[in-house]
Structure formats: C-alpha cells, structure tokens
Amino acid sequence: MKGSVISVLVVLVVLDRLASGLEHRSYDYTKYHPMDEISAWMNQMERENPDVVSSMVYGQTYEKRNITLLKIGFKNTTPKKAVWMDCGIHAREWIAPAFCQYFVKEILGSYKTDSNVNTLFKNLDFYITPVLNIDGYIYSWRDNTTRLWRKSRTAGTENCRCFGTDLNRNFPAYWGMVGISRNCCSDVYNGPTAVSEPETKAVTDFLGAHQNEMLCYLTIHSYSQMILIPYGVPNISAPNYDELMEVGLAAAKAISAVHGKSYKVGTPPDVLYATSGSSRDFARFIGIPYSFGLELRDKEKYHFILPENQIQPSCEEAYQGAMSIINYIHDKNFKSAAVSQTVDNCDCLMDLECKCDDFKPLY
Amino acid sequence: MKTFCSVWLLLSLVELSPAPPVSQEPPLACTGAPGHAPQSETAEDMASTGDLEPTHYPARRAATVALHYLNTHHGSPFRVFGLQQVHKASAEDVAAGGRKYKLDFSVTDWASGSEGPALRCSADVLFPQTERHSGPEVQLRCEALQQINRTAQEEHAFYQRYISPDSAVSARDIPDSYGNVSEEMQPFWRLARVAASFIMLRESSERTEFNMAQVASVAQQGSSEEQLMLEFVVLLHDFPSQEIIQWKLLASWSPDRGVRVLQTEWQPRCPHATKPPN
C-alpha cells in the first residue's frame, strides 16, 4: 500500500517536472532554436519580467502568423524615446535571431545592477523583434534542403511560380532602383510593388506610427562582419553620413576589443554591394536619425551556417557593438537635459518606482 | 511542368533575366539560374580604375578571385586559404577590353583562423571582356609559399586510409544545419572547398563574388590511377545576387598530384520538380 502511494507520488512529481518544461529549465542561448521555442521564450520573458517587458503583435506574416515584438524598459505614462531592433529578415541567417534573444537576456539580466543599462531602461524603450520573417525562418528549419532559404514565403503567381520576396528589398526607399531582380525566382526579388509584403507593412506601419519616438533603427543580419549605414543606393548620402561613420567605426572598435574580429564599416555601395529597398534605408529615409545594419559572423569559412560554438562569442561582440551605438545615441539625447517623466536626475538603481526625493541626484 | 518551364523561358527572354553559367550549355532551367546579376552596374563598377579603396568591394571581389586561384594550386584536404585583408589595390582598363586588377593582400589558413599567421601575396587579376564569358586570368605570387609547414604526414595518412578498393565514403550536408562538421568529414569538406574553387574561379566576373556555402553531398567513386575519386555536390553562394547555385563535380586527389577537377555540371534548383529535367 505504502509502496504504491510512494510510486504514485514519484510519478506525479516527475510528470510535474516534465510539464513545467521551459520555466524550470534554463534557456540555452548557445543553441539555435526553432520558432516555437522562440515564441515560448518570448512568453517566458514577459511573464518573468512583467514590470519591464510587454509584448506587442504588430502584424501578420504571409502565412498568417503573428509578428511579435518585446517592448522592454521601465514603464511610463507618456511615450519614451525608443530603440528598434529586428532580427531574421533573412531566414537563413540564424545567428541573427540568436543575437536578439541574447541581447534581451543581457539587458534583462543586468538592468537592476548595471547603472548604464538601468539608465537606458529609464530613458528609452527597446522594441525588439527576435524573428521578423517567421514564415521563412520556419521554412529554413524544415529539412536539409531548405536551410539556405532567404526570402519570405509568399506564394508565386500564374506568371511566376517561385515562392518568396526578399523583404530587405521590399521597403519603400528607392525601391527597385538597384541590386534587385524582377524575376520572382531570384533571391533578391523585390516584390511586385514596394511594401507588397505583410511583413514589410508591419514594420513600416509601426515605424511610421512611432516615428517621433524612434531614435535608432538596428537590423541584424549575417554574414560578412560589417556595420552598414544608409544608403544602399550609390551617390545618395544620408545628411549625417559623417556622424554615422563615426558611430559605426566606434562600434567596430568595441566589437574587435572582445574577440579580435574585424568589422568593416560603410555604405553598401562601398563595402558590400549596391542595394535598394532595404529596411535600414527606409528607417533613415523617414527620419530616424541613426540606422545601422549589422552583419555578424563569419567572413570566410561557415558563412550562413555558423556553428553553435560561435553563437556565444558572436553575440558577445555584437552586444558591445550595439551598446556602443545605443549609448552614443542615448548620451547625445539625454545627458544635457532631464527628459523622462518617471525619473529625473535620479539614481534609481534598485527601486523601479523611485521618487526623486528618495535618492540623491546624479547631476 | 513543361508548360511552366516554357513560360518561364519566354519570360526570361522578355525580361532580360540573367543567364545560366555560360561555360556550358544550360538545360531547360526552372529556377535559380546562377549569375543572377543585379539589374544595373553601380557607379563604382563603371569607375573602378586607378587606386582602389582596399576595404571596398571591388578590391575584395578581385582578391577573392585570386584566393580561388591560390586554393586550386595549393589547396589540399589539410589546407584551405581564406582572405584576411587587402592591403593595396588598383585597376586599369586593358587595351583588348576588360579590366586588370593589381592586388596586395594577405591570406590565412583555415586551420589557424583569420588571426593566425598570414601569408602575403600579390596578384594580377584580369577580367576579360568577351562576348561569351571566359574566366578571369590570374597571376599570383605568395611569399614563402614553398616554406609553409607541409601537412605531408596528415595527407599521406588520409590517402592511405581512403585509397583502399573497398573504401566508399559518402555523406550529406557538410556542415549540417547547425554548423557541425565531424572530425572525419573535415578533410572532405576542405577538399570540396578546393575543388569548388576551380568552378568559382572559372565562373567569376565583375558581377559575381562566390563563396562555398555548404557541401550537399560527397560520394567516393572507385579510385583511378591511384587517385582518390570523389563526386561532390556543392552549394555556392553568390554575394551580389544572393543566389545559392548548385554544382555537381568529379574531383581527383592524391598527395603527389593535388586536386584536379574532371567534370562539372550545373544543377538548376527547381522548386516544383524533384529532379532537373532531362
């Protein structure tokens, strides 16, 4: 009798452990995750950090999946200035979504103890989309023959039966001018028209609605180890080209300090190839002052299929690069004046709802 | 299928779609024609003469061609070179048509990584301008090439292991989707990269930049004349068009004779067909 009761109890405990799944097991940031695991992880991040994380569905993919971002920062009654980051516009660039997850993990793990990150959480909101091209990403996981898929999964038409549009040629910024193909089978097919794809529209709608708050647009790709600045079209310069180069070069320096990897900085016509209709160009075009495309590892050997043992070092260096950019932009906008409503000249390290009188002013 | 292919072909003619590799007669293709050059040349392409910025792509593109040439001549199952850095580059138009690049660059061995000891090279790369595509012509000098640590021991051990008549290595997806390459497959991966260099070199132009993305398959054939015979299917990535281009090739290797590529066959990737037509 006792034996069977104990066995039942043991079984119940084991079942409970199994059922808890993700919540009790540590998420492995050094492995590539399929989309369902990433979605579960996003839910977990929101559940475990309700004071600083909320999720927003801001569009749908062609195959009708929700496109979701995590909004991260100290909550505020009025809109704060913001930083946008998206990963996985191109399905086969698996290191990119891995980086977005790593970035979220880093900032959530340090905002309470790291005064720099804490200040960023006060003054900024991060809008982070771990996987933008969800349909394509899922397709690239299907089997060994689909690993190198790049585009979305829009169905072909009577005229041209191949699947997919290159989302990073589909944005309304000098759309169709250069670096594209009008053949729908091409990997740089830019779509029948600009913003023809629902994934593109989700981003353009969101950025358009948040134009005034958005200080920085970061889009993460691989491979080739570069920091790309607008514009992809030759002979068209962003008005703050010099500053963008300066910020980019500083980020490259921060990156190389981590593991010695060199990242080139420049416009696509210089360091990559001329392109048009990219999301990075669109962001700059509508007036977001700082827009960067990060191309992560590697350069020469594994290309798109970066080994999992390089996820951690790649993310570590890219994190320093991203932070270098974000801190520059933050300091430029916040050092001179107190802006945020929640905290004003306060060192609010430990208390999320601090009132200024409780702490001594920083400056 | 046939209707679709004919329609596609018609559309290709009408829309000036890029052409399949010109070094062989293309079969009726459904998709993924290589050399999907972007629609227009950039301003820099047109003006690419005189001193070139070493960190910009025209210099890198030419250096990559020189790199492929280096690998065809000096690559082995235990040695593949990667481009580390371009130091100086210049280009000039050539009387017979075409453009010649002069390059000063460094390479490193895959084995030691991009931070490993670098080999300094200089090269002349000529992209001819002809009606039908013909591959670039390369003249290459690398310092101390003959003095590199020979991997003779490993090569001979590898050769002895696989030259036996009943050896029939076969594998797929190197690396696998997660970037893994088993210990046993490493030399085959490097061999594939060297063999693919022959194709990448031959197919290069000022509108392309090739890397090898993955080895889809390797299948050992019966040895011939004491050469290891390997049939590879390699997936090449072209940077400007972002296309993945599939080639089947038959390569031979021995420590004495090095890598030779005996046959190559472009394999169009048809999403609606399970295998290429004919």
Side-chain angles (χ1 to χ4, degrees):
Chain A
M1 180 60 194
K2 254 199 207 155
S4 46
V5 169
I6 292 173
S7 322
V8 167
L9 283 174
V10 167
V11 167
L12 282 174
V13 167
V14 167
L15 280 176
D16 175 66
R17 285 276 143 87
L18 286 174
S20 315
L22 213 54
E23 283 129 54
H24 292 278
R25 254 181 299 135
S26 228
Y27 193 77
D28 192 344
Y29 294 92
T30 68
K31 293 259 176 288
Y32 294 119
H33 292 274
M35 196 60 216
D36 56 339
E37 287 178 13
I38 297 177
S39 300
W41 166 85
M42 289 176 74
N43 290 333
Q44 183 187 356
M45 290 300 104
E46 189 176 10
R47 259 197 330 272
E48 289 178 356
N49 304 275
D51 42 346
V52 288
V53 179
S54 56
S55 67
M56 296 169 71
V57 174
Y58 64 100
Q60 282 204 315
T61 66
Y62 177 80
E63 291 174 347
K64 300 275 182 280
R65 297 183 172 93
N66 283 340
I67 306 177
T68 313
L69 60 75
L70 294 176
K71 178 182 178 182
I72 303 179
F74 290 133
K75 302 198 169 162
N76 197 16
T77 43
T78 57
K80 292 151 71 186
K81 292 296 183 189
V83 170
W84 169 283
M85 184 186 296
D86 63 61
C87 296
I89 281 185
H90 291 138
R92 57 195 179 200
E93 298 164 13
W94 285 13
I95 187 62
F99 174 68
C100 266
Q101 294 163 69
Y102 176 93
F103 185 88
V104 166
K105 179 248 308 181
E106 277 302 303
I107 59 176
L108 287 178
S110 63
Y111 78 93
K112 288 180 181 163
T113 51
D114 181 317
S115 62
N116 173 233
V117 179
N118 189 272
T119 308
L120 294 177
F121 269 45
K122 281 186 297 194
N123 294 328
L124 298 171
D125 280 327
F126 291 91
Y127 292 101
I128 301 176
T129 304
V131 184
L132 181 57
N133 178 11
I134 299 171
D135 297 347
Y137 186 71
I138 290 174
Y139 185 72
S140 74
W141 276 78
R142 201 185 72 172
D143 59 52
N144 296 327
T145 67
T146 62
R147 174 62 175 86
L148 293 172
W149 185 259
R150 168 182 168 90
K151 301 187 288 182
S152 70
R153 290 296 298 168
T154 315
T157 62
E158 277 303 303
N159 287 332
C160 190
R161 305 260 288 268
C162 295
F163 284 82
T165 294
D166 183 349
L167 296 174
N168 210 32
R169 302 285 185 276
N170 189 238
F171 282 79
Y174 308 104
W175 181 84
M177 275 188 69
V178 71
I180 56 98
S181 170
R182 296 306 297 150
N183 180 338
C184 87
C185 297
S186 163
D187 262 327
V188 292
Y189 173 59
N190 58 340
T193 59
V195 206
S196 53
E197 308 309 311
E199 295 89 349
T200 313
K201 187 162 195 308
V203 176
T204 57
D205 281 352
F206 192 95
L207 292 182
H210 293 83
Q211 214 167 321
N212 295 330
E213 296 112 65
M214 210 58 76
L215 289 178
C216 179
Y217 176 85
L218 294 172
T219 181
I220 316 297
H221 291 255
S222 77
Y223 61 92
S224 75
Q225 292 170 209
M226 294 188 185
I227 298 172
L228 299 171
I229 63 176
Y231 284 97
V233 181
N235 299 328
I236 298 179
S237 269
N240 58 341
Y241 168 86
D242 288 341
E243 189 188 15
L244 289 171
M245 275 301 288
E246 199 189 297
V247 175
L249 287 166
K253 200 164 165 212
I255 288 174
S256 105
V258 185
H259 297 297
K261 293 294 184 191
S262 73
Y263 277 56
K264 285 208 209 17
V265 184
T267 63
D270 284 345
V271 298
L272 188 70
Y273 281 102
T275 62
S276 60
S278 70
S279 66
R280 174 208 62 237
D281 283 359
F282 168 77
R284 188 63 194 91
F285 192 73
I286 60 165
I288 296 171
Y290 302 96
S291 182
F292 296 89
L294 265 56
E295 299 276 351
L296 305 189
R297 294 193 192 181
D298 70 355
K299 262 200 301 194
E300 273 283 278
K301 199 165 169 183
Y302 292 93
H303 310 120
F304 295 117
I305 315 183
L306 193 69
E308 287 179 315
N309 64 14
Q310 287 200 44
I311 294 178
Q312 176 76 13
S314 303
C315 288
E316 284 168 352
E317 68 200 18
Y319 181 80
Q320 293 305 322
M323 275 307 185
S324 166
I325 295 170
I326 292 166
N327 277 318
Y328 172 89
I329 294 163
H330 170 272
D331 292 352
K332 192 164 181 204
N333 281 272
F334 291 96
K335 272 294 197 252
S336 47
V339 178
S340 172
Q341 215 178 30
T342 43
V343 285
D344 215 346
N345 291 345
C346 289
D347 187 353
C348 289
L349 260 182
M350 297 309 290
D351 186 343
L352 302 177
E353 287 182 330
C354 76
K355 297 151 192 51
C356 283
D357 300 330
D358 297 345
F359 298 86
K360 78 176 199 305
L362 264 184
Y363 42 84
Chain B
M1 185 83 267
K2 266 213 183 112
T3 325
F4 165 62
C5 281
S6 332
V7 169
W8 187 92
L9 198 60
L10 263 170
L11 279 171
S12 320
L13 296 169
V14 167
E15 287 194 321
L16 298 172
S17 282
V22 284
S23 48
Q24 65 177 75
E25 276 302 307
L28 255 185
C30 298
T31 183
H36 256 293
Q39 274 204 335
S40 49
E41 271 190 357
T42 65
E44 184 156 18
D45 270 357
M46 309 292 273
S48 261
T49 51
D51 283 336
L52 301 177
E53 179 57 54
T55 55
H56 288 188
Y57 79 82
R60 186 189 68 229
R61 174 182 56 200
T64 302
V65 170
L67 176 78
H68 293 324
Y69 180 90
L70 174 63
N71 277 323
T72 60
H73 279 71
H74 294 278
S76 83
F78 294 90
R79 170 154 295 122
V80 174
F81 291 104
L83 187 64
Q84 187 202 54
Q85 201 189 351
V86 180
H87 304 289
K88 269 168 57 176
S90 66
E92 60 183 8
D93 288 327
V94 163
R99 202 134 58 205
K100 181 194 263 198
Y101 292 72
K102 282 185 169 339
L103 303 157
D104 173 11
F105 60 102
S106 292
V107 299
T108 54
D109 189 335
W110 265 19
S112 45
S114 58
E115 295 79 39
L119 202 66
R120 193 73 172 238
C121 297
S122 65
D124 290 351
V125 176
L126 169 66
F127 292 104
Q129 197 162 68
T130 49
E131 280 274 317
R132 280 177 64 90
H133 170 84
S134 64
E137 293 162 29
V138 181
Q139 286 177 324
L140 178 74
R141 295 159 294 278
C142 290
E143 63 177 22
L145 202 54
Q146 61 283 4
Q147 289 162 33
I148 315 171
N149 245 346
R150 290 291 342 264
T151 50
Q153 216 172 4
E154 292 147 298
E155 289 182 16
H156 275 279
F158 175 74
Y159 179 77
Q160 290 308 323
R161 182 169 171 194
Y162 293 105
I163 198 64
S164 77
D166 34 294
S167 172
V169 172
S170 83
R172 303 197 58 86
D173 308 312
I174 305 162
D176 67 15
S177 289
Y178 305 91
N180 299 316
V181 180
S182 67
E183 271 303 308
E184 196 200 351
M185 283 300 124
Q186 295 267 353
F188 292 99
W189 184 35
R190 289 186 284 256
L191 255 181
R193 172 67 169 83
V194 174
S197 299
F198 285 81
I199 300 173
M200 293 192 283
L201 175 63
R202 187 186 69 201
E203 297 297 318
S204 286
S205 72
E206 283 176 296
R207 287 168 165 260
T208 62
E209 189 176 336
F210 291 113
N211 286 307
M212 186 181 83
Q214 194 181 30
V215 180
S217 67
V218 53
Q220 184 173 11
Q221 313 294 298
S223 304
S224 161
E225 294 174 24
E226 295 175 351
Q227 305 296 305
L228 282 186
M229 302 290 285
L230 296 159
E231 183 189 84
F232 291 109
V233 175
V234 295
L235 299 173
L236 307 181
H237 174 238
D238 174 41
F239 230 92
S241 67
Q242 293 295 334
E243 294 297 329
I244 301 295
I245 305 152
Q246 186 166 310
W247 283 87
K248 182 158 91 168
L249 61 104
L250 182 64
S252 71
W253 176 78
S254 70
D256 303 322
R257 270 218 257 166
V259 179
R260 306 227 172 143
V261 172
L262 309 167
Q263 284 167 35
T264 65
E265 182 192 318
W266 169 54
Q267 303 200 303
R269 282 148 66 92
C270 282
H272 304 291
T274 47
K275 56 179 183 179
N278 87 294

